[in-house]
Amino acid sequence: MRRAAPLPERAFVFSFPHGMGIHVALIEPEIPPNTGNVGRLCAATGTALHLIEPFGFSLDDHDLKRAGVDCWDAVELWIHPGWRHFREAIARERCLYFSAHGTRPYWDAPYRRNSVLVFGNESGGLPERIREKYPDRVYRIPMTDTVRSLNLATAVGIALYEAIRQLRTLEQGLLHVR
C-alpha cells in the first residue's frame, strides 16, 4: 500500500466570510444522516440551516447527531413549524429552489448575499406547488437519465459551493452580475 505524501506545513486553508449570509433550507427532511451531513456542511461553511417541519425523525436522533459529528454547536439552526411559518420569516425573493424537475442549471442561479437555497425532502423532492408557483427560480443539477436524483446532502453541497464560488468571484470583481 502506498502512503500519501504528508501535507506541507502551510497547507491551503480557506476562510468563509460570515458576511456572505447564505442560508440552506430543507423542507420536511426525512433521513437523519442526510440532515446531519447537511448540518456538518453548514458548520464547515458558516451557512445558516433552516429545517421546516414536520421531520421524519427527532432532533435527538442518534444518527442525526452522529452524521453531524461534533458540529451542531457551530450551526446557526432555525426550526420552522411548517412551510407557512418559513414563508413568513423569509422574503420570497431571497429563495432559490433546487429540484431534479428544474429546467435551468444550478450555475445559472442568481446567487446573492443572503440567498436561501431551498431543497425538498428525500422521497418527494421539492413540492410541485412550489415548482409551479416559482418556475423561474427552480434550478437543476444536471445528471444522466440513468439516475432519478442525487442524495440530498450531495445536492446541497453542490449548490452551496457554487453559491460560495460565485459570491467570492463577484467580490473579486471577476464575474458580472446578471
Side-chain angles (χ1 to χ4, degrees):
M1 176 189 319
R2 297 180 71 189
R3 289 186 171 220
L7 288 175
E9 194 170 313
R10 294 173 97 19
F12 178 73
V13 177
F14 186 80
S15 173
F16 294 93
H18 290 286
M20 283 188 182
I22 300 171
H23 296 241
V24 166
L26 304 181
I27 301 171
E28 302 177 5
E30 300 168 323
I31 301 174
N34 282 338
T35 303
N37 283 322
V38 171
R40 187 187 325 187
L41 178 66
C42 289
T45 57
T47 301
L49 176 59
H50 298 256
L51 299 178
I52 303 165
E53 294 179 319
F55 310 143
F57 52 85
S58 161
L59 291 178
D60 294 327
D61 188 284
H62 171 74
D63 290 333
L64 173 73
K65 290 180 179 180
R66 183 169 185 241
V69 189
D70 56 354
C71 300
W72 282 109
D73 289 342
V75 176
E76 180 184 337
L77 182 62
W78 297 74
I79 306 295
H80 301 274
W83 177 252
R84 183 175 49 83
H85 295 277
F86 173 77
R87 297 310 294 140
E88 290 171 1
I90 302 295
R92 287 169 175 76
E93 60 273 3
R94 290 178 56 195
C95 294
L96 301 170
Y97 304 98
F98 295 86
S99 169
H101 299 286
T103 57
R104 297 173 5 182
Y106 71 99
W107 53 77
D108 284 350
Y111 301 104
R112 301 286 179 264
R113 288 184 177 280
N114 290 322
S115 288
V116 182
L117 315 182
V118 182
F119 297 83
N121 64 29
E122 294 87 345
S123 66
L126 190 69
E128 186 175 0
R129 70 182 189 281
I130 296 171
R131 295 192 321 261
E132 289 175 353
K133 189 167 185 174
Y134 305 103
D136 59 326
R137 300 186 69 76
V138 178
Y139 298 89
R140 171 186 178 83
I141 298 169
M143 61 190 117
T144 64
D145 291 340
T146 58
V147 176
R148 182 178 58 87
S149 64
L150 295 174
N151 172 277
L152 178 59
T154 300
V156 171
I158 290 169
L160 178 56
Y161 273 94
E162 177 63 11
I164 291 167
R165 184 196 69 78
Q166 286 191 26
L167 288 171
R168 287 185 54 80
T169 304
L170 273 172
E171 287 177 352
Q172 296 167 357
L174 302 173
L175 184 70
H176 298 287
V177 178
R178 293 180 196 93

